[in-house]
Amino acid sequence: MNVWLRPATPLDAGQAGAILHRFQQDTSWMPKEHSGAEAISFCDQMIAKGWVSVAEVETHRRIVGFMAQDGAEICALYLTAEARGQGIGKAFLARAKAASPSLKLWTFQANTGAQRFYLREGFVEVQRTDGAANGEGLPDVEYHWPPKQGESDHEP
């Protein structure tokens, strides 16, 4: 799959929102709280802030993933099921690492695949919470890159 990363445009909100909504629908532990239209609106808001890059299949003009980054914080990283394991997530993170001396992100404790991915990419777990501060109310994990002195370097 030939994919290139580029800044998102407002016209990408529909495809990015569909990826986000599909993840919600296909993930058993994820609450089904938001409609497809709400996911598109959420992606549109992040795109308007200039936070989003997309992974586009070169020949089809089809988006297979997106990452939202606000300064040092990775706010979202989602790929279609077919795009996972193709190096696209790693490419998004490489770009983020090149642009910022440090990064932080949160993922849900139930998302063990994401946790393995971030640990492989050099992130370290900093803390776990009960999820009271996130919109879904799910327990989550904060990760940092690169590890700072004194931060945990153990796997969950």
Side-chain angles (χ1 to χ4, degrees), residues 15-37:
Q15 289 186 70
I19 292 167
L20 180 60
H21 186 65
R22 177 60 37 218
F23 175 81
Q24 173 193 314
Q25 295 303 304
D26 291 349
T27 304
S28 61
W29 49 262
M30 191 72 173
K32 313 301 185 237
E33 297 177 342
H34 304 288
S35 69

Side-chain angles (χ1 to χ4, degrees), residues 89-149:
K90 184 176 182 126
F92 273 130
L93 288 183
R95 183 180 272 193
K97 288 174 178 178
S100 180
S102 65
L103 297 170
K104 67 179 181 174
L105 60 87
W106 291 85
T107 192
F108 297 115
Q109 290 182 28
N111 195 345
T112 56
Q115 290 179 57
R116 285 190 305 273
F117 170 70
Y118 293 124
L119 289 169
R120 270 194 321 267
E121 295 305 313
F123 285 77
V124 294
E125 179 181 319
V126 175
Q127 68 172 321
R128 290 179 175 241
T129 77
D130 63 5
N134 68 53
E136 292 80 5
L138 295 173
D140 53 13
V141 185
E142 182 180 10
Y143 287 96
H144 287 183
W145 173 90
K148 294 177 181 60
Q149 192 168 21

